[in-house]
């Protein structure tokens, strides 16, 4: 296990070190960020779960109503699009198991 002290970091661009594709438990602790009234800003984690897989459409839905095909997690189609909107780049070779990033926002800076 690893504890990462992020009290002196003023943005959310922190990344866990790579560990040869082995999962390493880690906790990041940030200092409270005061908002314009001196109170701590609320933080929101947008993900439904800490680890989720991206969902992609592989075909557009046809006019006759024929459904499109999905690669990955169909429940995360909209959330995958939201992650892309806010800067996440999916792998060049998409798969059924592309792990989504954590999408975190606060009252002060947004996403």
């Amino acid at each position: 296990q690893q504890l990462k002290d992020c009290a002196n970091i003023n943005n959310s661009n922190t990344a866990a070190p790579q560990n040869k594709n082995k999962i390493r438990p880690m906790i990041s602790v940030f200092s409270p960020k005061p908002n314009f009234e001196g109170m701590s800003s609320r933080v929101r984690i947008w993900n439904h779960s800490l680890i989720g897989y991206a969902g992609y459409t592989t075909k557009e839905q046809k006019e006759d109503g024929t459904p499109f095909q999905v690669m990955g997690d169909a429940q995360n189609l909209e959330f995958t699009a939201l992650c892309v909107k806010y800067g996440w780049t999916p792998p060049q070779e998409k798969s059924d198991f592309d792990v989504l990033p954590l999408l975190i926002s606060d009252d002060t800076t947004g996403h």
Side-chain angles (χ1 to χ4, degrees), residues 25-42:
M26 184 176 78
I27 299 172
S28 298
V29 179
F30 295 89
S31 61
K33 185 176 188 178
N35 63 16
F36 61 93
E37 298 172 346
M39 303 293 289
S40 293
S41 297
R42 291 180 295 174

Side-chain angles (χ1 to χ4, degrees), residues 1-94:
Q1 293 183 2
Q2 180 180 359
L3 175 65
K4 188 170 187 176
D5 183 0
C6 301
N8 295 323
I9 295 175
N10 58 9
N11 66 36
S12 60
N13 295 328
T14 61
Q18 297 298 317
N19 192 24
K20 297 182 183 177
N21 294 326
K22 295 178 185 174
I23 295 174
R24 174 182 285 170
M26 184 176 78
I27 299 172
S28 298
V29 179
F30 295 89
S31 61
K33 185 176 188 178
N35 63 16
F36 61 93
E37 298 172 346
M39 303 293 289
S40 293
S41 297
R42 291 180 295 174
V43 173
R44 177 177 178 189
I45 298 174
W46 290 72
N47 302 59
H48 299 286
S49 60
L50 290 177
I51 297 176
Y53 300 107
Y56 312 103
T57 56
T58 57
K59 282 187 179 179
E60 295 298 323
Q61 188 167 1
K62 297 180 181 179
E63 289 180 20
D64 66 0
T66 305
F68 54 83
Q69 294 178 355
V70 175
M71 174 188 285
D73 190 344
Q75 293 180 348
N76 280 331
L77 286 171
E78 289 182 26
F79 187 70
T80 300
L82 187 65
C83 289
V84 170
K85 177 181 175 182
Y86 288 109
W88 179 65
T89 304
Q92 233 176 348
E93 291 186 34
K94 296 175 182 172

